[in-house]
Amino acid sequence: MRMSKLFVRTLREAPAEAEIASHRLLIRAGYVRKLMAGVYTWLPLGFRMLRKIEAIIRKEMEATGAQEIRMPIILPAEPWKITGRWQAYGEQMFKLKDRAGRELGLGPTQEEVVTPLVAGEFTSYRDLPVNLFQVEWKYRDELRPRFGLLRAREFLMKDAYSFDRHAQGMAASYDVMVEAYRRMFDRCGLDYLVVEADPGTIGGDVNHEFMARAEVGEDLYVYCDKGDYTADVEAASLRPPDAIPQTELEPLREIATPGRPGIQDVADLLDRPPSDMLKCMLYDAGGHPVAVLIEGDREVNETKLARVLWPEPVRMFTDQDFAAHGLVKGYVGPQGLPEDVTVIADHSVRGGKNWITGANKVDNHVTGANVGRDFRADRWEDLSQVGEGDPCPRCGGTLHIGRSIVVGHTYQLGTRYSKPLKATFVDEDGTEQPYQMGCYGIGLTRIVAAAAEQFNDEGGLRWPKAIAPFDVVVVPTNMDQPAVVEAAERLYADMAGIGLDAVIDDRDATAGVKFADADLIGYPLQIVVGKRGIEAGTVDLKVRSTGSRSQVPLEDAARAIAELFASVP
Ligand SMILES: [Zn+2]
């Protein structure tokens, strides 16, 4: 490829809205251009990179025996309504109507397509297992698209779906995929970790996220300082208290707390720590009132709550809800809650603690509230947001928070989709059984963003060679010197012979501009052909990732370049 012809114009400045390195650099270096919020055109450099990542993923998928298909992006609503995801996705899913008024959606993932597909073809236990995958664009109507490719509304994914006879088979298929994922991310050169995760709107039980470490990442994970536990912060569990301390129960007493609806306000007034306060949060779960009890210095993890109340949609109480149930916002306590309110208590509320909580009256609280005597707990659940410094659920060590970009997610779905969609096969004993499914996603466009976050410096991008759009750039520094141009052209032609994808920067630009662009675009290896070098019979090589420079004889340059490239990360 000739730089003079390559469809790219690098930019000195990134748009003001680009807040993070990957967004800034992918725009500046000419990999993508924005069409509208969260939707990008992929220019030749970016698209070549996507294709390279795709090739790595395809090869590893095919090595496991998975077969590639291609499913439609535009989908009928009906199966989504049957699985409950039409409602669960809500406005996150792009929804439209055709001219006949039929409801359609743009696919964010394809379980509702692939499950009936397999049920229509592979109807016997003898056909199983089977794993089908595709690489296709996906859609999600993000409320606030930002961070370039990270929170985009259109993104490229590889999604795979395994179908097995029984749970052990599903687990085996799952393990094969997890290992394949490790190889894919290793080959892409990413710094990543595998963590236990929350199933979100996909559902199912066992699932893992593949997280690329990144300071700007929006996906938080916790890790134990003893190294025995990592989990997505939404999925991280807290160890229930080992022993419940038995304190002497104080009588329930009402106290005036005028104008102090907040936890901290009341704690300050009574000179008690916020952990002595009992938070009573109210939610609506599909039209049914739910009170969540949690220690005053802890936060409710609404993802965990949604999982506990699945499939009911959960939202916080509005002012109207408080009024409709005769409850006083800011002063709600669990004692004397109406019978129709389901009380779900976090494990932090166990035991007699003489809680301070709302008195269900404006400007009043109670002290000495105790579970069992003064209020009931209908269910005990782990609902607490896990944070820095919390104890590890495995060993009791200390948990810390890390930031990452999720680039892959694997799920054991079981019969979450096959049952509602009545997707069954005939088993050996003649009975109809629902398929045991797994699903496996990888975000290709997110891999590009994550790699850009992990591999950059003040000069620009410095890709691992496995995913870089080109392997080398040949930079003739003096276009007015025929000997320089001739030597550069010869080297450029030689690159194909040693199997390297090369660009020659044949633009009539200064050496400074060419060097800056080579650094910005991030070609793994730069071959610099200059006037002085030609006179001395040498060319200069620079490895972008390490910055290391060397000089090789022009004579035998191609062989030396091949050798050096083999050692480039
Ligand atoms: Zn631990």
Side-chain angles (χ1 to χ4, degrees), residues 223-229 391-399:
Y223 60 98
C224 171
D225 56 4
K226 302 281 197 305
D228 64 344
Y229 184 68
C392 166
R394 297 255 163 86
C395 74
T398 307
L399 294 178

Side-chain angles (χ1 to χ4, degrees), residues 53 57 61 134-136 138 155-160 177 180-182 184-185 188 210 406-410 440-447:
I53 296 167
I57 291 172
M61 287 303 294
Q134 67 168 355
V135 180
E136 192 49 86
K138 303 258 181 289
F155 45 95
L156 186 61
M157 278 187 72
K158 185 285 299 171
D159 45 327
M177 277 296 107
Y181 270 39
R182 288 183 192 275
M184 292 172 200
F185 292 120
C188 288
F210 294 74
V406 173
V407 286
H409 206 154
T410 53
Y440 317 92
I442 280 191
L444 282 80
T445 44
R446 285 177 81 85
I447 289 177

Side-chain angles (χ1 to χ4, degrees), residues 163-381:
F163 294 79
D164 276 271
R165 272 178 83 183
H166 37 56
Q168 306 93 288
M170 171 184 70
S173 296
Y174 184 87
D175 291 345
V176 167
M177 277 296 107
V178 168
E179 283 316 305
Y181 270 39
R182 288 183 192 275
R183 285 193 298 276
M184 292 172 200
F185 292 120
D186 287 344
R187 284 182 62 185
C188 288
L190 284 185
D191 173 20
Y192 70 97
L193 68 165
V194 188
V195 306
E196 295 174 23
D198 176 80
T201 45
I202 299 268
D205 198 4
V206 174
N207 74 108
H208 289 88
E209 275 172 335
F210 294 74
M211 295 179 142
R213 290 185 182 85
E215 280 307 307
V216 300
E218 292 188 279
D219 304 297
L220 304 184
Y221 63 94
V222 298
Y223 60 98
C224 171
D225 56 4
K226 302 281 197 305
D228 64 344
Y229 184 68
T230 52
D232 184 295
V233 85
E234 298 298 349
S237 49
L238 266 187
R239 205 144 85 148
D242 298 328
I244 313 289
Q246 282 308 317
T247 44
E248 201 173 319
L249 302 191
E250 295 167 8
L252 188 70
R253 206 177 278 139
E254 200 169 295
I255 51 164
T257 53
R260 291 174 186 260
I263 293 278
Q264 192 63 50
D265 292 336
V266 178
D268 288 349
L269 177 76
L270 301 176
D271 196 22
R272 299 270 292 271
S275 58
D276 283 359
M277 304 276 305
L278 180 66
K279 265 191 210 174
C280 182
M281 314 276 291
L282 282 147
Y283 294 87
D284 176 286
H288 182 84
V290 172
V292 173
L293 309 183
I294 194 165
E295 198 175 78
D297 60 350
R298 305 213 67 98
E299 299 297 331
V300 173
N301 178 325
E302 293 189 355
T303 306
K304 288 183 182 177
L305 181 62
R307 196 163 53 213
V308 162
L309 294 170
W310 168 269
E312 300 300 338
V314 183
R315 59 165 178 80
M316 285 190 85
F317 253 30
T318 60
D319 289 349
Q320 290 94 311
D321 292 324
F322 279 102
H325 290 274
L327 295 169
V328 187
K329 190 180 174 184
Y331 297 92
V332 178
Q335 65 289 345
L337 278 179
E339 282 301 314
D340 67 328
V341 178
T342 303
V343 182
I344 307 181
D346 179 66
H347 295 304
S348 60
V349 178
R350 280 185 189 280
K353 271 207 69 174
N354 296 316
W355 297 103
I356 307 159
T357 190
N360 297 312
K361 259 196 235 176
V362 178
D363 293 341
N364 281 279
H365 279 76
V366 296
T367 63
N370 285 292
V371 65
R373 185 191 69 183
D374 305 312
F375 61 89
R376 66 182 203 277
D378 299 322
R379 291 167 69 175
W380 292 95
E381 299 285 353

Side-chain angles (χ1 to χ4, degrees), residues 109-123:
T109 141
Q110 245 78 348
E111 284 80 358
E112 283 82 351
V113 180
V114 75
T115 309
L117 175 75
V118 170
E121 310 289 331
F122 272 20
T123 52

